[in-house]
Amino acid sequence: MFNTEQRVENIFLTGATGVLGARLLLEILLTTEACVYCLVRANDQQEARNRLIELLYVYDPQRRCQSQLWRVIPMVGDVSAPLLGLSESDYYELAQGVDRVIHSAAGVNLLASYPALFDTNVGGTHNIIELCLLGKVPLLYISSFTVAGRQLFNDDYRLKESDLDLGQSFKHMSYARTKFESELAVHEAGKRGLRWAITRPGNIWGDSVTGCYPLTETRLKGLYYEVIRALVETGITFSAPQNFDVSPVDYVARASLHIILEIDRFASQTFHLTNPTPLSYDGIVDFLQQYGYRIKRMNNDDYLAALAENRLWFQGKPYHSQFTGMLNLFYANIEQGGSLLLDTEFTEQSLLPAGIACAPSDCRLMFCYFDYLVQRGFLPPPDQQGAMAEVVTLTTSR
Ligand SMILES: NC(=O)c1ccc[n+]([C@@H]2O[C@H](COP(=O)([O-])OP(=O)(O)OC[C@H]3O[C@@H](n4cnc5c(N)ncnc54)[C@H](OP(=O)(O)O)[C@@H]3O)[C@@H](O)[C@H]2O)c1
């Protein structure tokens, strides 16, 4: 199964049909000579390959990677299954044959319960750790800045890369809890000889150069883009001055790949792949307005009450979207007040020699994203923005 004649690295990647994993796969194909073994949930290898290629081309519409697709080897499996759902022979060959593992697969539904996420997120990480220990393969675990738990809303705290267990609570934060527990498992496995590094991305947005992002191609739609859609659709918003991280996917992918390729330098370290220049939700609204969209700010309580009472009226009916469905969770956090600062100094210093830096979340970056959304028909151009939603009173509501 493994090509040992050429001096190519063999990388095992999970989650390659996801927002980050697909961009990681592209980065590997364009910047290394490695073969990439991708664990994919699918009925058969052909379906797995088709899904991988579909996602790859979202980030690579010019198909620069086409001649390199032979280096992509789909493996049908599931991180939560024994032996990752592989045959015994494939599993042992994989463990012996790869020289890096990047574990990006996870359930990322922020509303899912802990039991619903556990098998994939915590169980899956344990399974990947066992594979790595068996083959003595270094592991990059893709975690999340949400491991800070409820400290995320505490602006007195600055989370350092070396911080993990702060006694933080995870009330209503099941996803974050599973990422935290996975990090603990990785640390624990270090005592059994695992060589590891961890990256903690922030909110992953599109490619900072092309704007590309899989808007419809992943199973779970990107929440941040649903926020933008809801803002433009309704033309009404509340206010939230707290940090709202915008981490370009190309930065997260490049940095993550560099860290695992250079594991000798970066072993047992954690990195914050958040944007060192955070934006706020209000800042995003400002950029949308500068881009030309009409968006009216409302008093927060009035907005939420209108939503809860079905009085936010749009196109003849109460407005609901994926974003408004999550708003209670989102808003409870806003109400809590603060927003944690993530220390990125160690990460920035570590990546500097390789010339890897995060694009600042400024007008150029956000307009690049908006251009892409308009080009893909996800947003109307500003001059074709439809009628705004309105808040109706109970007596006039139908
Ligand atoms: N997106 C963000 O803003 C963000 C922020 C911080 C950290 N992260 C972390 O970054 C990583 C990637 O996230 P993402 O945004 O790329 O998520 P995503 O778009 O939802 O992709 C998740 C990937 O994991 C795969 N997967 C899920 N359950 C699996 C299972 N049981 N077995 C095998 N594969 C499975 C999915 O496969 P299917 O295609 O079959 O569903 C998909 O390829 C995750 O670890 C996440 O926690 C993401």
Side-chain angles (χ1 to χ4, degrees), residues 15-21 39 41 51 77-80 104-108 120 142-145 175 179 201-204 218-220 224:
T17 53
V19 170
L20 174 59
L39 190 79
R41 292 189 292 187
R51 292 201 60 213
D78 187 314
V79 290
S80 65
S104 184
V108 298
T120 288
I142 307 281
S143 182
S144 161
F145 72 120
Y175 162 76
K179 300 304 283 186
N203 297 325
I204 301 177
T218 54
R219 276 188 225 261
L220 198 71
Y224 324 119

PDB file of all heavy atoms in Angstrom, residues 15-21 39 41 51 77-80 104-108 120 142-145 175 179 201-204 218-220 224, ligand 1:
ATOM      1  N   GLY A  15     -10.831  14.014   8.453  1.00  0.00           N
ATOM      2  CA  GLY A  15     -11.643  15.225   8.286  1.00  0.00           C
ATOM      3  C   GLY A  15     -11.407  15.959   6.983  1.00  0.00           C
ATOM      4  O   GLY A  15     -11.738  17.146   6.871  1.00  0.00           O
ATOM      5  N   ALA A  16     -10.864  15.271   5.966  1.00  0.00           N
ATOM      6  CA  ALA A  16     -10.498  15.962   4.719  1.00  0.00           C
ATOM      7  C   ALA A  16     -11.702  16.381   3.879  1.00  0.00           C
ATOM      8  O   ALA A  16     -11.539  17.075   2.886  1.00  0.00           O
ATOM      9  CB  ALA A  16      -9.568  15.082   3.890  1.00  0.00           C
ATOM     10  N   THR A  17     -12.907  15.954   4.265  1.00  0.00           N
ATOM     11  CA  THR A  17     -14.092  16.448   3.560  1.00  0.00           C
ATOM     12  C   THR A  17     -14.725  17.612   4.328  1.00  0.00           C
ATOM     13  O   THR A  17     -15.879  17.957   4.099  1.00  0.00           O
ATOM     14  CB  THR A  17     -15.135  15.326   3.371  1.00  0.00           C
ATOM     15  OG1 THR A  17     -15.391  14.743   4.660  1.00  0.00           O
ATOM     16  CG2 THR A  17     -14.632  14.252   2.426  1.00  0.00           C
ATOM     17  N   GLY A  18     -13.963  18.211   5.228  1.00  0.00           N
ATOM     18  CA  GLY A  18     -14.467  19.328   6.017  1.00  0.00           C
ATOM     19  C   GLY A  18     -13.831  20.647   5.597  1.00  0.00           C
ATOM     20  O   GLY A  18     -12.932  20.686   4.754  1.00  0.00           O
ATOM     21  N   VAL A  19     -14.286  21.712   6.222  1.00  0.00           N
ATOM     22  CA  VAL A  19     -13.819  23.066   5.908  1.00  0.00           C
ATOM     23  C   VAL A  19     -12.299  23.161   6.019  1.00  0.00           C
ATOM     24  O   VAL A  19     -11.612  23.626   5.102  1.00  0.00           O
ATOM     25  CB  VAL A  19     -14.482  24.085   6.879  1.00  0.00           C
ATOM     26  CG1 VAL A  19     -13.845  25.461   6.749  1.00  0.00           C
ATOM     27  CG2 VAL A  19     -15.973  24.155   6.625  1.00  0.00           C
ATOM     28  N   LEU A  20     -11.772  22.727   7.117  1.00  0.00           N
ATOM     29  CA  LEU A  20     -10.327  22.828   7.321  1.00  0.00           C
ATOM     30  C   LEU A  20      -9.574  21.686   6.636  1.00  0.00           C
ATOM     31  O   LEU A  20      -8.545  21.908   5.988  1.00  0.00           O
ATOM     32  CB  LEU A  20     -10.004  22.840   8.825  1.00  0.00           C
ATOM     33  CG  LEU A  20      -8.510  22.801   9.157  1.00  0.00           C
ATOM     34  CD1 LEU A  20      -7.773  24.004   8.548  1.00  0.00           C
ATOM     35  CD2 LEU A  20      -8.296  22.774  10.663  1.00  0.00           C
ATOM     36  N   GLY A  21     -10.085  20.460   6.794  1.00  0.00           N
ATOM     37  CA  GLY A  21      -9.367  19.294   6.265  1.00  0.00           C
ATOM     38  C   GLY A  21      -9.129  19.395   4.769  1.00  0.00           C
ATOM     39  O   GLY A  21      -8.055  19.036   4.274  1.00  0.00           O
ATOM     40  N   LEU A  39      -9.008   9.443   5.693  1.00  0.00           N
ATOM     41  CA  LEU A  39     -10.109   8.631   6.230  1.00  0.00           C
ATOM     42  C   LEU A  39     -11.417   9.368   5.935  1.00  0.00           C
ATOM     43  O   LEU A  39     -11.599  10.516   6.350  1.00  0.00           O
ATOM     44  CB  LEU A  39      -9.943   8.455   7.743  1.00  0.00           C
ATOM     45  CG  LEU A  39     -10.887   7.438   8.367  1.00  0.00           C
ATOM     46  CD1 LEU A  39     -10.359   6.020   8.117  1.00  0.00           C
ATOM     47  CD2 LEU A  39     -11.045   7.663   9.868  1.00  0.00           C
ATOM     48  N   ARG A  41     -15.811   9.089   5.572  1.00  0.00           N
ATOM     49  CA  ARG A  41     -17.061   8.330   5.742  1.00  0.00           C
ATOM     50  C   ARG A  41     -17.760   8.276   4.385  1.00  0.00           C
ATOM     51  O   ARG A  41     -18.139   9.319   3.843  1.00  0.00           O
ATOM     52  CB  ARG A  41     -17.970   9.029   6.750  1.00  0.00           C
ATOM     53  CG  ARG A  41     -17.420   8.983   8.151  1.00  0.00           C
ATOM     54  CD  ARG A  41     -18.423   9.468   9.158  1.00  0.00           C
ATOM     55  NE  ARG A  41     -18.697  10.890   9.040  1.00  0.00           N
ATOM     56  CZ  ARG A  41     -19.439  11.575   9.887  1.00  0.00           C
ATOM     57  NH1 ARG A  41     -19.990  10.964  10.906  1.00  0.00           N
ATOM     58  NH2 ARG A  41     -19.639  12.870   9.725  1.00  0.00           N
ATOM     59  N   ARG A  51     -15.940  12.783  -3.055  1.00  0.00           N
ATOM     60  CA  ARG A  51     -16.183  13.812  -2.032  1.00  0.00           C
ATOM     61  C   ARG A  51     -14.914  14.626  -1.788  1.00  0.00           C
ATOM     62  O   ARG A  51     -14.951  15.843  -1.657  1.00  0.00           O
ATOM     63  CB  ARG A  51     -16.648  13.165  -0.715  1.00  0.00           C
ATOM     64  CG  ARG A  51     -18.040  12.529  -0.826  1.00  0.00           C
ATOM     65  CD  ARG A  51     -18.674  12.364   0.545  1.00  0.00           C
ATOM     66  NE  ARG A  51     -18.817  13.635   1.220  1.00  0.00           N
ATOM     67  CZ  ARG A  51     -18.727  13.789   2.541  1.00  0.00           C
ATOM     68  NH1 ARG A  51     -18.523  12.749   3.313  1.00  0.00           N
ATOM     69  NH2 ARG A  51     -18.873  14.964   3.081  1.00  0.00           N
ATOM     70  N   GLY A  77     -13.767   4.830   6.233  1.00  0.00           N
ATOM     71  CA  GLY A  77     -13.722   4.490   7.651  1.00  0.00           C
ATOM     72  C   GLY A  77     -14.425   5.522   8.499  1.00  0.00           C
ATOM     73  O   GLY A  77     -15.112   6.417   7.986  1.00  0.00           O
ATOM     74  N   ASP A  78     -14.231   5.410   9.800  1.00  0.00           N
ATOM     75  CA  ASP A  78     -14.923   6.283  10.749  1.00  0.00           C
ATOM     76  C   ASP A  78     -14.042   6.365  11.997  1.00  0.00           C
ATOM     77  O   ASP A  78     -13.668   5.314  12.548  1.00  0.00           O
ATOM     78  CB  ASP A  78     -16.285   5.654  11.081  1.00  0.00           C
ATOM     79  CG  ASP A  78     -17.161   6.558  11.921  1.00  0.00           C
ATOM     80  OD1 ASP A  78     -16.654   7.134  12.910  1.00  0.00           O
ATOM     81  OD2 ASP A  78     -18.346   6.698  11.600  1.00  0.00           O
ATOM     82  N   VAL A  79     -13.731   7.562  12.442  1.00  0.00           N
ATOM     83  CA  VAL A  79     -12.808   7.670  13.586  1.00  0.00           C
ATOM     84  C   VAL A  79     -13.371   7.062  14.869  1.00  0.00           C
ATOM     85  O   VAL A  79     -12.613   6.673  15.757  1.00  0.00           O
ATOM     86  CB  VAL A  79     -12.379   9.131  13.891  1.00  0.00           C
ATOM     87  CG1 VAL A  79     -11.466   9.685  12.831  1.00  0.00           C
ATOM     88  CG2 VAL A  79     -13.569  10.034  14.138  1.00  0.00           C
ATOM     89  N   SER A  80     -14.695   6.976  14.939  1.00  0.00           N
ATOM     90  CA  SER A  80     -15.278   6.473  16.192  1.00  0.00           C
ATOM     91  C   SER A  80     -15.347   4.940  16.230  1.00  0.00           C
ATOM     92  O   SER A  80     -15.690   4.373  17.257  1.00  0.00           O
ATOM     93  CB  SER A  80     -16.683   7.055  16.386  1.00  0.00           C
ATOM     94  OG  SER A  80     -17.541   6.585  15.373  1.00  0.00           O
ATOM     95  N   SER A 104      -8.126  16.012  12.088  1.00  0.00           N
ATOM     96  CA  SER A 104      -8.996  17.190  11.978  1.00  0.00           C
ATOM     97  C   SER A 104     -10.471  16.824  12.070  1.00  0.00           C
ATOM     98  O   SER A 104     -11.317  17.704  12.222  1.00  0.00           O
ATOM     99  CB  SER A 104      -8.708  17.899  10.638  1.00  0.00           C
ATOM    100  OG  SER A 104      -9.443  19.076  10.501  1.00  0.00           O
ATOM    101  N   ALA A 105     -10.800  15.540  11.980  1.00  0.00           N
ATOM    102  CA  ALA A 105     -12.217  15.138  11.995  1.00  0.00           C
ATOM    103  C   ALA A 105     -12.833  15.417  13.357  1.00  0.00           C
ATOM    104  O   ALA A 105     -12.224  15.175  14.395  1.00  0.00           O
ATOM    105  CB  ALA A 105     -12.347  13.645  11.679  1.00  0.00           C
ATOM    106  N   ALA A 106     -14.039  15.934  13.334  1.00  0.00           N
ATOM    107  CA  ALA A 106     -14.783  16.132  14.577  1.00  0.00           C
ATOM    108  C   ALA A 106     -16.224  16.456  14.229  1.00  0.00           C
ATOM    109  O   ALA A 106     -16.519  16.905  13.121  1.00  0.00           O
ATOM    110  CB  ALA A 106     -14.183  17.280  15.394  1.00  0.00           C
ATOM    111  N   GLY A 107     -17.091  16.227  15.189  1.00  0.00           N
ATOM    112  CA  GLY A 107     -18.445  16.754  15.092  1.00  0.00           C
ATOM    113  C   GLY A 107     -18.368  18.182  15.610  1.00  0.00           C
ATOM    114  O   GLY A 107     -17.873  18.405  16.716  1.00  0.00           O
ATOM    115  N   VAL A 108     -18.833  19.147  14.811  1.00  0.00           N
ATOM    116  CA  VAL A 108     -18.629  20.552  15.203  1.00  0.00           C
ATOM    117  C   VAL A 108     -19.950  21.278  15.463  1.00  0.00           C
ATOM    118  O   VAL A 108     -19.979  22.498  15.528  1.00  0.00           O
ATOM    119  CB  VAL A 108     -17.797  21.321  14.143  1.00  0.00           C
ATOM    120  CG1 VAL A 108     -16.417  20.722  13.994  1.00  0.00           C
ATOM    121  CG2 VAL A 108     -18.499  21.357  12.798  1.00  0.00           C
ATOM    122  N   THR A 120     -17.404  10.462  18.436  1.00  0.00           N
ATOM    123  CA  THR A 120     -16.532  10.974  17.372  1.00  0.00           C
ATOM    124  C   THR A 120     -15.409  11.825  17.958  1.00  0.00           C
ATOM    125  O   THR A 120     -14.224  11.635  17.620  1.00  0.00           O
ATOM    126  CB  THR A 120     -17.355  11.812  16.359  1.00  0.00           C
ATOM    127  OG1 THR A 120     -18.163  10.916  15.596  1.00  0.00           O
ATOM    128  CG2 THR A 120     -16.452  12.586  15.420  1.00  0.00           C
ATOM    129  N   ILE A 142      -6.003  18.761  15.920  1.00  0.00           N
ATOM    130  CA  ILE A 142      -6.647  20.062  15.663  1.00  0.00           C
ATOM    131  C   ILE A 142      -7.706  20.260  16.743  1.00  0.00           C
ATOM    132  O   ILE A 142      -8.734  19.577  16.755  1.00  0.00           O
ATOM    133  CB  ILE A 142      -7.320  20.112  14.266  1.00  0.00           C
ATOM    134  CG1 ILE A 142      -6.352  19.715  13.143  1.00  0.00           C
ATOM    135  CG2 ILE A 142      -7.931  21.501  14.033  1.00  0.00           C
ATOM    136  CD1 ILE A 142      -5.373  20.733  12.680  1.00  0.00           C
ATOM    137  N   SER A 143      -7.438  21.169  17.626  1.00  0.00           N
ATOM    138  CA  SER A 143      -8.368  21.418  18.722  1.00  0.00           C
ATOM    139  C   SER A 143      -9.191  22.665  18.407  1.00  0.00           C
ATOM    140  O   SER A 143      -9.562  22.902  17.245  1.00  0.00           O
ATOM    141  CB  SER A 143      -7.571  21.566  20.023  1.00  0.00           C
ATOM    142  OG  SER A 143      -8.436  21.749  21.099  1.00  0.00           O
ATOM    143  N   SER A 144      -9.434  23.487  19.398  1.00  0.00           N
ATOM    144  CA  SER A 144     -10.250  24.686  19.184  1.00  0.00           C
ATOM    145  C   SER A 144      -9.976  25.659  20.328  1.00  0.00           C
ATOM    146  O   SER A 144      -9.724  25.241  21.468  1.00  0.00           O
ATOM    147  CB  SER A 144     -11.726  24.298  19.194  1.00  0.00           C
ATOM    148  OG  SER A 144     -12.535  25.424  19.431  1.00  0.00           O
ATOM    149  N   PHE A 145     -10.105  26.949  20.016  1.00  0.00           N
ATOM    150  CA  PHE A 145      -9.923  27.945  21.080  1.00  0.00           C
ATOM    151  C   PHE A 145     -11.021  27.846  22.140  1.00  0.00           C
ATOM    152  O   PHE A 145     -10.885  28.381  23.239  1.00  0.00           O
ATOM    153  CB  PHE A 145      -9.863  29.356  20.486  1.00  0.00           C
ATOM    154  CG  PHE A 145     -11.183  29.879  19.965  1.00  0.00           C
ATOM    155  CD1 PHE A 145     -11.746  31.037  20.483  1.00  0.00           C
ATOM    156  CD2 PHE A 145     -11.861  29.229  18.949  1.00  0.00           C
ATOM    157  CE1 PHE A 145     -12.945  31.526  20.014  1.00  0.00           C
ATOM    158  CE2 PHE A 145     -13.072  29.712  18.461  1.00  0.00           C
ATOM    159  CZ  PHE A 145     -13.613  30.858  18.994  1.00  0.00           C
ATOM    160  N   TYR A 175     -19.584  20.800  22.847  1.00  0.00           N
ATOM    161  CA  TYR A 175     -18.534  20.678  21.821  1.00  0.00           C
ATOM    162  C   TYR A 175     -17.181  21.080  22.423  1.00  0.00           C
ATOM    163  O   TYR A 175     -16.185  20.349  22.289  1.00  0.00           O
ATOM    164  CB  TYR A 175     -18.896  21.575  20.624  1.00  0.00           C
ATOM    165  CG  TYR A 175     -17.732  21.878  19.724  1.00  0.00           C
ATOM    166  CD1 TYR A 175     -17.241  20.919  18.833  1.00  0.00           C
ATOM    167  CD2 TYR A 175     -17.096  23.127  19.756  1.00  0.00           C
ATOM    168  CE1 TYR A 175     -16.159  21.201  18.006  1.00  0.00           C
ATOM    169  CE2 TYR A 175     -16.022  23.418  18.936  1.00  0.00           C
ATOM    170  CZ  TYR A 175     -15.555  22.444  18.061  1.00  0.00           C
ATOM    171  OH  TYR A 175     -14.476  22.726  17.253  1.00  0.00           O
ATOM    172  N   LYS A 179     -13.540  18.943  23.000  1.00  0.00           N
ATOM    173  CA  LYS A 179     -12.217  19.359  22.498  1.00  0.00           C
ATOM    174  C   LYS A 179     -11.231  19.428  23.675  1.00  0.00           C
ATOM    175  O   LYS A 179     -10.082  19.025  23.562  1.00  0.00           O
ATOM    176  CB  LYS A 179     -12.301  20.716  21.776  1.00  0.00           C
ATOM    177  CG  LYS A 179     -13.225  20.770  20.580  1.00  0.00           C
ATOM    178  CD  LYS A 179     -12.929  19.748  19.506  1.00  0.00           C
ATOM    179  CE  LYS A 179     -11.762  20.075  18.624  1.00  0.00           C
ATOM    180  NZ  LYS A 179     -11.607  19.110  17.511  1.00  0.00           N
ATOM    181  N   PRO A 201      -7.444  26.412  16.372  1.00  0.00           N
ATOM    182  CA  PRO A 201      -7.939  27.463  15.479  1.00  0.00           C
ATOM    183  C   PRO A 201      -9.038  28.283  16.151  1.00  0.00           C
ATOM    184  O   PRO A 201      -9.695  27.822  17.090  1.00  0.00           O
ATOM    185  CB  PRO A 201      -8.532  26.677  14.298  1.00  0.00           C
ATOM    186  CG  PRO A 201      -8.044  25.271  14.448  1.00  0.00           C
ATOM    187  CD  PRO A 201      -7.779  25.069  15.908  1.00  0.00           C
ATOM    188  N   GLY A 202      -9.219  29.502  15.619  1.00  0.00           N
ATOM    189  CA  GLY A 202     -10.365  30.321  16.034  1.00  0.00           C
ATOM    190  C   GLY A 202     -11.542  29.999  15.126  1.00  0.00           C
ATOM    191  O   GLY A 202     -11.689  28.858  14.671  1.00  0.00           O
ATOM    192  N   ASN A 203     -12.369  31.014  14.826  1.00  0.00           N
ATOM    193  CA  ASN A 203     -13.495  30.812  13.908  1.00  0.00           C
ATOM    194  C   ASN A 203     -12.942  30.754  12.488  1.00  0.00           C
ATOM    195  O   ASN A 203     -12.426  31.755  11.985  1.00  0.00           O
ATOM    196  CB  ASN A 203     -14.484  31.973  13.998  1.00  0.00           C
ATOM    197  CG  ASN A 203     -15.108  32.082  15.384  1.00  0.00           C
ATOM    198  OD1 ASN A 203     -15.350  31.073  16.041  1.00  0.00           O
ATOM    199  ND2 ASN A 203     -15.358  33.302  15.823  1.00  0.00           N
ATOM    200  N   ILE A 204     -13.065  29.593  11.855  1.00  0.00           N
ATOM    201  CA  ILE A 204     -12.419  29.420  10.551  1.00  0.00           C
ATOM    202  C   ILE A 204     -13.296  29.984   9.429  1.00  0.00           C
ATOM    203  O   ILE A 204     -14.432  29.541   9.228  1.00  0.00           O
ATOM    204  CB  ILE A 204     -12.092  27.935  10.284  1.00  0.00           C
ATOM    205  CG1 ILE A 204     -11.155  27.405  11.392  1.00  0.00           C
ATOM    206  CG2 ILE A 204     -11.437  27.774   8.914  1.00  0.00           C
ATOM    207  CD1 ILE A 204     -10.827  25.929  11.284  1.00  0.00           C
ATOM    208  N   THR A 218     -20.050  20.911   2.559  1.00  0.00           N
ATOM    209  CA  THR A 218     -19.840  20.110   3.768  1.00  0.00           C
ATOM    210  C   THR A 218     -21.201  19.727   4.358  1.00  0.00           C
ATOM    211  O   THR A 218     -22.216  20.342   4.036  1.00  0.00           O
ATOM    212  CB  THR A 218     -19.032  20.896   4.828  1.00  0.00           C
ATOM    213  OG1 THR A 218     -19.700  22.131   5.057  1.00  0.00           O
ATOM    214  CG2 THR A 218     -17.614  21.151   4.370  1.00  0.00           C
ATOM    215  N   ARG A 219     -21.183  18.724   5.239  1.00  0.00           N
ATOM    216  CA  ARG A 219     -22.460  18.281   5.808  1.00  0.00           C
ATOM    217  C   ARG A 219     -23.092  19.367   6.681  1.00  0.00           C
ATOM    218  O   ARG A 219     -24.298  19.551   6.697  1.00  0.00           O
ATOM    219  CB  ARG A 219     -22.236  17.030   6.665  1.00  0.00           C
ATOM    220  CG  ARG A 219     -22.223  15.764   5.839  1.00  0.00           C
ATOM    221  CD  ARG A 219     -22.205  14.561   6.757  1.00  0.00           C
ATOM    222  NE  ARG A 219     -21.249  13.576   6.321  1.00  0.00           N
ATOM    223  CZ  ARG A 219     -21.567  12.491   5.626  1.00  0.00           C
ATOM    224  NH1 ARG A 219     -22.801  12.244   5.307  1.00  0.00           N
ATOM    225  NH2 ARG A 219     -20.626  11.644   5.266  1.00  0.00           N
ATOM    226  N   LEU A 220     -22.239  20.060   7.451  1.00  0.00           N
ATOM    227  CA  LEU A 220     -22.753  21.085   8.360  1.00  0.00           C
ATOM    228  C   LEU A 220     -22.390  22.455   7.779  1.00  0.00           C
ATOM    229  O   LEU A 220     -21.232  22.705   7.461  1.00  0.00           O
ATOM    230  CB  LEU A 220     -22.075  20.918   9.732  1.00  0.00           C
ATOM    231  CG  LEU A 220     -22.752  21.575  10.911  1.00  0.00           C
ATOM    232  CD1 LEU A 220     -24.045  20.840  11.259  1.00  0.00           C
ATOM    233  CD2 LEU A 220     -21.816  21.564  12.117  1.00  0.00           C
ATOM    234  N   TYR A 224     -20.699  31.022  10.603  1.00  0.00           N
ATOM    235  CA  TYR A 224     -20.343  32.444  10.463  1.00  0.00           C
ATOM    236  C   TYR A 224     -20.910  33.010   9.170  1.00  0.00           C
ATOM    237  O   TYR A 224     -21.302  34.170   9.092  1.00  0.00           O
ATOM    238  CB  TYR A 224     -18.833  32.638  10.531  1.00  0.00           C
ATOM    239  CG  TYR A 224     -18.193  31.668  11.508  1.00  0.00           C
ATOM    240  CD1 TYR A 224     -17.247  30.744  11.101  1.00  0.00           C
ATOM    241  CD2 TYR A 224     -18.608  31.650  12.844  1.00  0.00           C
ATOM    242  CE1 TYR A 224     -16.709  29.831  11.993  1.00  0.00           C
ATOM    243  CE2 TYR A 224     -18.080  30.738  13.733  1.00  0.00           C
ATOM    244  CZ  TYR A 224     -17.134  29.826  13.297  1.00  0.00           C
ATOM    245  OH  TYR A 224     -16.623  28.913  14.169  1.00  0.00           O
TER     246      TYR A 224
HETATM  247  N1  LIG B   1     -14.755  25.499  11.741  1.00  0.00           N
HETATM  248  C1  LIG B   1     -14.271  26.184  12.755  1.00  0.00           C
HETATM  249  O1  LIG B   1     -14.545  27.379  12.877  1.00  0.00           O
HETATM  250  C2  LIG B   1     -13.359  25.527  13.762  1.00  0.00           C
HETATM  251  C3  LIG B   1     -12.847  26.320  14.790  1.00  0.00           C
HETATM  252  C4  LIG B   1     -11.972  25.747  15.709  1.00  0.00           C
HETATM  253  C5  LIG B   1     -11.630  24.423  15.598  1.00  0.00           C
HETATM  254  N2  LIG B   1     -12.160  23.664  14.598  1.00  0.00           N
HETATM  255  C6  LIG B   1     -11.758  22.257  14.531  1.00  0.00           C
HETATM  256  O2  LIG B   1     -11.225  22.035  13.239  1.00  0.00           O
HETATM  257  C7  LIG B   1     -11.497  20.695  12.841  1.00  0.00           C
HETATM  258  C8  LIG B   1     -12.153  20.716  11.490  1.00  0.00           C
HETATM  259  O3  LIG B   1     -13.378  21.415  11.571  1.00  0.00           O
HETATM  260  P1  LIG B   1     -14.166  21.802  10.268  1.00  0.00           P
HETATM  261  O4  LIG B   1     -14.656  23.173  10.415  1.00  0.00           O
HETATM  262  O5  LIG B   1     -13.370  21.438   9.092  1.00  0.00           O
HETATM  263  O6  LIG B   1     -15.429  20.847  10.411  1.00  0.00           O
HETATM  264  P2  LIG B   1     -16.371  20.253   9.286  1.00  0.00           P
HETATM  265  O7  LIG B   1     -16.357  21.113   8.082  1.00  0.00           O
HETATM  266  O8  LIG B   1     -17.673  19.948   9.930  1.00  0.00           O
HETATM  267  O9  LIG B   1     -15.634  18.884   8.925  1.00  0.00           O
HETATM  268  C9  LIG B   1     -15.569  17.846   9.853  1.00  0.00           C
HETATM  269  C10 LIG B   1     -14.860  16.709   9.187  1.00  0.00           C
HETATM  270  O10 LIG B   1     -14.792  15.627  10.107  1.00  0.00           O
HETATM  271  C11 LIG B   1     -15.348  14.475   9.493  1.00  0.00           C
HETATM  272  N3  LIG B   1     -15.959  13.594  10.472  1.00  0.00           N
HETATM  273  C12 LIG B   1     -16.918  13.883  11.370  1.00  0.00           C
HETATM  274  N4  LIG B   1     -17.220  12.807  12.095  1.00  0.00           N
HETATM  275  C13 LIG B   1     -16.432  11.794  11.638  1.00  0.00           C
HETATM  276  C14 LIG B   1     -16.290  10.438  11.966  1.00  0.00           C
HETATM  277  N5  LIG B   1     -17.019   9.869  12.937  1.00  0.00           N
HETATM  278  N6  LIG B   1     -15.376   9.687  11.285  1.00  0.00           N
HETATM  279  C15 LIG B   1     -14.631  10.241  10.301  1.00  0.00           C
HETATM  280  N7  LIG B   1     -14.738  11.533   9.930  1.00  0.00           N
HETATM  281  C16 LIG B   1     -15.634  12.292  10.591  1.00  0.00           C
HETATM  282  C17 LIG B   1     -16.383  15.032   8.526  1.00  0.00           C
HETATM  283  O11 LIG B   1     -16.730  14.046   7.598  1.00  0.00           O
HETATM  284  P3  LIG B   1     -18.132  14.097   6.791  1.00  0.00           P
HETATM  285  O12 LIG B   1     -17.831  14.893   5.569  1.00  0.00           O
HETATM  286  O13 LIG B   1     -18.400  12.672   6.511  1.00  0.00           O
HETATM  287  O14 LIG B   1     -19.133  14.737   7.673  1.00  0.00           O
HETATM  288  C18 LIG B   1     -15.593  16.188   7.953  1.00  0.00           C
HETATM  289  O15 LIG B   1     -14.660  15.734   7.027  1.00  0.00           O
HETATM  290  C19 LIG B   1     -12.371  20.080  13.917  1.00  0.00           C
HETATM  291  O16 LIG B   1     -11.558  19.311  14.766  1.00  0.00           O
HETATM  292  C20 LIG B   1     -12.905  21.277  14.666  1.00  0.00           C
HETATM  293  O17 LIG B   1     -13.161  20.957  16.009  1.00  0.00           O
HETATM  294  C21 LIG B   1     -13.020  24.179  13.668  1.00  0.00           C
END
